[in-house]
Amino acid sequence: MNKTSFQPDLPLLPNALGRRLFIARHGLLQAPKGSGKGNDLLQVIEDLGFIQVDSINTVARAHHMILFARRSSYREKNLKQLSERDMQLFEHWTHDASMIPTRFYPHWMLKFERDAVTIRNRWRNWRREGFEEKFDAVLKRIADHGPTTSGDVGEGEARKSGGWWDWHPSKTALEYLWRSGQLSVCRRNGFQKVYDLTERVIPDQYRTERSDEAATIDWACHAALTRLGFATSGEIAAFFDLITPQEAKDWCARKLASGQIIEVLIEDCKTTTHRRSFAFPGILEDAAALEPATSRLRILSPFDPMLRDRKRAERLFGFHYRIEVFVPEPKRKYGYYVFPVLEGEHLVGRIDMKAFRADDKLIVKAFWPEHGIKASKSRLSKLDSELNRMARFSGVSEVAYADDWLREPMARSSD
């Protein structure tokens, strides 16, 4: 049972401290500082666990915005150097496509083994037939001719629609061999994945190290709970998506029985309902010892790890957020790709903006403060400063505001 409106004999983490702890665990409590490259950048990603990769580029792609929010000196080339030149990151799946510290690679072998079975069975029905017959040919082509893209394979294979959902057999084989660990992404050209044999991408010290199932389950649960601060067993399992919910549930039961974790109640920001969660001992003391967050205002990616769990963001911050990319335009409440705005320890609004590089402008279409948040002169000044930082980061030099850019808060919604 995760939710309760009564008060069992469990410690309670007040909402304000829960928010502060959660922000701290996601690297957003202090003002951004650091070089944003090399070991400093790697530490940011290790602290987060991974960064999600996404193709939408209205201002900058999600993975770059995630890093920029934590290191204002970060630039896109720094991630490329860390992954492609230094091989300190590899690309694979957590809950979605992500950049992951390479030293975590041995734990992904369990995912490779499991996905090799589950994806193969699922894709036999979902994708077109014949992809399994292409495995040897795809591997030989890459072994003989080097890294390849999906456009380089499948000569002569019919493409029915040309859409992303209708992969030809060789592209399906390519993706399957990557998902099951035989191939790795060695770089991206633009946003197109380039694949190579795993032994030519992943350093031997990580590729030849093997973590057994029990060790990976223990690592995945411990690492997830460390980064979340507090979580249910389901949230622990979902963090890296390496293990099953039952494996996380069993891990929590064992660690709870041995006293290595405790149960706590997390106060909801809007209701008297508290969420029963697991945490490491000392969580209340750790939260109470944190200094208040910087008052700096930051614009976050919709895929920022602090917001990835939309329900958790709503419980902790009272911030209801949904991406409307796939919502027909007339039915959108806000916009195609709207960015959450964090100020201190509160999500204070959302902004619709886009970089028009040919015009050298970042156009601000609309900003909606949250209910109870005033569009004060001080707050708007901080927003303007952040927008100017964001403009420079996205490669333009000017911020321009639409005539009706400052909007009234919309009615609360729980849809």
Side-chain angles (χ1 to χ4, degrees):
M1 181 175 175
N2 295 329
K3 298 179 181 178
T4 181
S5 57
F6 58 88
Q7 296 288 332
D9 188 20
L10 292 175
L12 173 68
L13 183 64
N15 176 258
L17 287 183
R19 277 201 321 269
R20 184 175 295 176
L21 179 69
F22 194 62
I23 292 170
R25 295 294 172 94
H26 286 81
L28 292 168
L29 196 67
Q30 304 301 324
K33 60 181 180 180
S35 67
K37 59 184 177 181
N39 289 335
D40 177 66
L41 184 61
L42 179 61
Q43 190 62 58
V44 172
I45 299 171
E46 288 194 350
D47 289 345
L48 293 173
F50 59 89
I51 52 168
Q52 183 174 338
V53 175
D54 190 73
S55 62
I56 296 175
N57 192 19
T58 56
V59 175
R61 291 193 169 102
H63 38 296
H64 298 305
M65 288 195 67
I66 291 167
L67 297 171
F68 181 70
R70 291 154 178 85
R71 293 291 188 272
S72 54
S73 56
Y74 167 78
R75 294 297 180 266
E76 295 185 7
K77 66 179 182 180
N78 301 351
L79 184 64
K80 189 177 184 71
Q81 290 173 353
L82 195 63
S83 59
E84 297 179 13
R85 184 192 68 186
D86 302 338
M87 298 182 179
Q88 293 292 323
L89 303 171
F90 74 101
E91 184 174 338
H92 215 270
W93 279 73
T94 52
H95 68 294
D96 211 316
S98 301
M99 299 295 292
I100 306 158
T102 307
R103 72 181 187 91
F104 298 170
Y105 186 85
H107 296 297
W108 257 253
M109 293 184 185
L110 178 62
K111 189 173 186 68
F112 299 155
E113 290 180 357
R114 292 178 173 181
D115 284 356
V117 177
T118 58
I119 291 178
R120 194 168 189 162
N121 290 336
R122 187 169 72 244
W123 285 7
R124 282 171 179 164
N125 298 321
W126 180 40
R127 303 294 185 188
R128 282 190 280 158
E129 297 179 354
F131 74 94
E132 293 165 279
E133 300 169 8
K134 302 295 182 179
F135 291 164
D136 290 343
V138 168
L139 288 170
K140 187 176 188 306
R141 179 191 177 102
I142 295 173
D144 293 346
H145 301 288
T148 192
T149 68
S150 60
D152 297 329
V153 298
E155 296 89 342
E157 294 177 20
R159 293 164 169 78
K160 291 181 181 177
S161 65
W164 63 265
W165 60 89
D166 185 35
W167 297 352
H168 57 79
S170 289
K171 175 175 170 57
T172 305
L174 198 62
E175 281 288 302
Y176 175 84
L177 292 167
W178 171 55
R179 294 289 294 273
S180 59
Q182 296 179 68
L183 296 178
S184 292
V185 174
C186 62
R187 64 179 184 275
R188 281 189 181 249
N189 291 338
F191 202 70
Q192 186 177 41
K193 292 196 292 287
V194 182
Y195 306 83
D196 202 353
L197 301 178
T198 291
E199 57 263 35
R200 299 200 296 224
V201 178
I202 304 298
D204 289 347
Q205 67 184 103
Y206 304 115
R207 184 177 53 80
T208 58
E209 179 185 344
R210 181 56 202 256
S211 176
D212 64 29
E213 183 176 290
T216 288
I217 291 170
D218 184 66
W219 176 85
C221 291
H222 192 281
L225 188 54
T226 297
R227 288 161 176 80
L228 291 169
F230 46 85
T232 66
S233 62
E235 290 166 344
I236 289 171
F239 185 83
F240 287 112
D241 197 27
L242 282 177
I243 61 174
T244 68
Q246 186 61 52
E247 287 167 339
K249 185 176 182 180
D250 293 343
W251 181 88
C252 289
R254 291 194 303 271
K255 298 299 180 181
L256 187 64
S258 65
Q260 295 179 68
I261 63 173
I262 61 172
E263 284 189 288
V264 294
L265 294 175
I266 310 301
E267 185 180 32
D268 190 293
C269 72
K270 295 192 297 184
T271 72
T272 57
T273 299
H274 305 318
R275 191 167 182 85
R276 197 164 181 161
S277 299
F278 298 104
F280 291 113
I283 183 176
L284 270 66
E285 294 80 2
D286 291 345
L290 292 169
E291 295 292 329
T294 174
S295 62
R296 179 164 172 165
L297 184 147
R298 281 182 267 207
I299 297 171
L300 304 180
S301 162
F303 297 106
D304 194 281
M306 199 187 82
L307 299 166
R308 167 191 153 195
D309 187 334
R310 309 295 190 207
K311 292 181 179 179
R312 176 180 284 237
E314 195 158 4
R315 290 193 303 270
L316 286 177
F317 299 93
F319 188 76
H320 178 83
Y321 181 82
R322 298 293 182 271
I323 291 178
E324 297 182 287
V325 168
F326 300 110
V327 176
E329 186 170 1
K331 295 184 178 181
R332 289 176 188 152
K333 185 175 181 181
Y334 293 103
Y336 172 78
Y337 196 75
V338 173
F339 301 86
V341 178
L342 175 71
E343 182 184 17
E345 297 173 17
H346 301 274
L347 288 161
V348 298
R350 61 201 80 202
I351 190 164
D352 187 4
M353 60 182 184
K354 184 175 181 180
F356 290 86
R357 292 173 179 84
D359 299 325
D360 199 27
K361 291 181 180 180
L362 178 69
I363 304 294
V364 179
K365 299 179 181 179
F367 171 65
W368 296 268
E370 286 292 282
H371 279 270
I373 299 296
K374 294 182 179 179
S376 65
K377 183 177 180 181
S378 172
R379 179 165 286 124
L380 293 180
S381 177
K382 287 195 287 186
L383 176 61
D384 185 67
S385 295
E386 175 69 358
L387 286 166
N388 277 280
R389 287 189 290 267
M390 191 65 67
R392 292 191 295 272
F393 177 65
S394 66
V396 300
S397 60
E398 181 182 350
V399 178
Y401 295 85
D403 291 340
D404 60 343
W405 72 276
L406 185 57
R407 307 292 180 85
E408 293 295 323
M410 289 193 180
R412 290 192 183 276
S413 172
S414 58
D415 56 349

